[in-house]
Amino acid sequence: MKSMEEKMKEVFSADKMYKIKIIQELLEENKIKSYVLNQKGSALLLGDIHVYVDEKDEQKALDIIAGHKML
C-alpha cells in the first residue's frame, strides 16, 4: 500500500505565493484538494513553492492549470 507521500503528485510550482494561491483556488473550484510545500528559505527567500494533489486528481489538475490564462 502506498503512503500518503507516494500518492501525492506535484502539479505546479512558482516562486511567488500569490501564484500558488490562484492555482489553489482554481483547483478548489474544481473540487480538487491541494497541498502546498513551501521550500523558500526565510532568510534569502530562495526556492520554489510547490502544489501537490492526490495522484487520482493529477491529470485533471494539470489540465485545469494548463488552461489557466495566468500561465
Side-chain angles (χ1 to χ4, degrees):
M1 192 161 92
K2 289 185 178 181
S3 69
M4 184 174 171
E5 289 83 13
E6 291 174 314
K7 292 181 182 180
M8 302 308 290
K9 300 294 181 182
E10 182 180 339
V11 293
F12 185 76
S13 66
D15 60 345
K16 304 280 189 246
M17 194 59 176
Y18 79 90
K19 294 179 181 180
I20 298 299
K21 291 294 183 191
I22 290 170
I23 294 302
Q24 281 195 292
E25 288 177 21
L26 190 62
L27 293 174
E28 189 176 310
E29 287 172 10
N30 288 276
K31 310 282 190 266
I32 298 175
K33 183 150 182 60
S34 62
Y35 305 88
V36 172
L37 175 62
N38 188 347
Q39 293 184 316
K40 276 194 172 293
S42 58
L44 300 175
L45 296 178
L46 298 174
D48 278 343
I49 308 161
H50 304 270
V51 177
Y52 291 83
V53 298
D54 189 283
E55 64 185 357
K56 69 177 173 51
D57 296 322
E58 179 183 18
Q59 192 56 56
K60 183 178 178 185
L62 290 171
D63 292 344
I64 290 166
I65 292 167
H68 188 27
K69 293 176 177 49
M70 179 186 79
L71 312 172

